[in-house]
Amino acid sequence: MTMTTREMQEYAWGWFEYHAGQRLVAFRFFLVFLGAVAVALSQSVKDGNGRLSSSIGAFGCFISVAFLMLEIRNEELVNFGRKALSEIEKLQDCSNYPEKVRLFAVDSNRNPLFSHKFWFRTIYSACVCIFLLFAFCPSFFAR
């Protein structure tokens, strides 16, 4: 069974759309987790419970690393769809179309500082570092 170009495009777009959506959903779940852990940490620090603060920090670090690993895998899956769509764009010989219409040609020149990859990984990594501080130096945050 052979696929038409249109069917390949729909398949690749479906793949890309699903995994890009999963990436954003995972980040939203992380933000919810982050809020809950921030409340628990602030309360344990306020109460002067260093051991609990340390435990919550270790848990937060572990979960942040897990979300970072999921982000790396999700980006890999998104890129499979992105590469497939880029190849389909090349197959359709869009070279005579205006550059603004050739989305993957335009997107390949984007500034990395304005990418999901950069910001998601920066946020996850910063959380890992902050939670490590809480895990190993809870007294640093005590009044």
Side-chain angles (χ1 to χ4, degrees):
M1 179 178 152
T2 57
M3 294 174 74
T4 66
T5 304
R6 181 75 179 151
E7 289 170 333
M8 285 189 292
Q9 188 175 30
E10 287 172 6
Y11 175 68
W13 176 254
W15 177 279
F16 174 81
E17 183 178 39
Y18 175 77
H19 291 290
Q22 287 297 103
R23 193 175 186 191
L24 293 174
V25 167
F27 187 71
R28 286 187 203 119
F29 275 116
F30 179 74
L31 292 178
V32 170
F33 155 78
L34 188 60
V37 172
V39 168
L41 270 172
S42 67
Q43 193 62 45
S44 67
V45 168
K46 182 177 145 188
D47 293 345
N49 193 338
R51 185 169 281 161
L52 181 60
S53 296
S54 184
S55 297
I56 293 169
F59 174 72
C61 181
F62 172 75
I63 297 298
S64 296
V65 168
F67 272 95
L68 178 60
M69 295 299 109
L70 286 172
E71 154 58 20
I72 291 168
R73 179 60 180 151
N74 280 336
E75 190 212 5
E76 221 174 46
L77 294 170
V78 166
N79 283 340
F80 291 150
R82 182 179 284 132
K83 288 174 187 169
L85 288 167
S86 178
E87 288 301 313
I88 292 168
E89 190 175 88
K90 289 176 189 173
L91 277 176
Q92 293 180 336
D93 191 26
C94 298
S95 58
N96 44 343
Y97 294 163
E99 188 174 298
K100 292 179 182 178
V101 176
R102 293 180 286 140
L103 301 178
F104 288 97
V106 172
D107 189 52
S108 65
N109 297 321
R110 73 182 180 281
N111 184 338
L113 290 176
F114 300 116
S115 68
H116 286 87
K117 175 182 179 175
F118 176 80
W119 287 106
F120 284 179
R121 292 182 186 182
T122 298
I123 291 167
Y124 291 134
S125 299
C127 288
V128 167
C129 294
I130 291 167
F131 287 132
L132 278 174
L133 272 174
F134 271 103
F136 292 105
C137 307
S139 59
F140 177 78
F141 297 97
R143 294 183 205 180

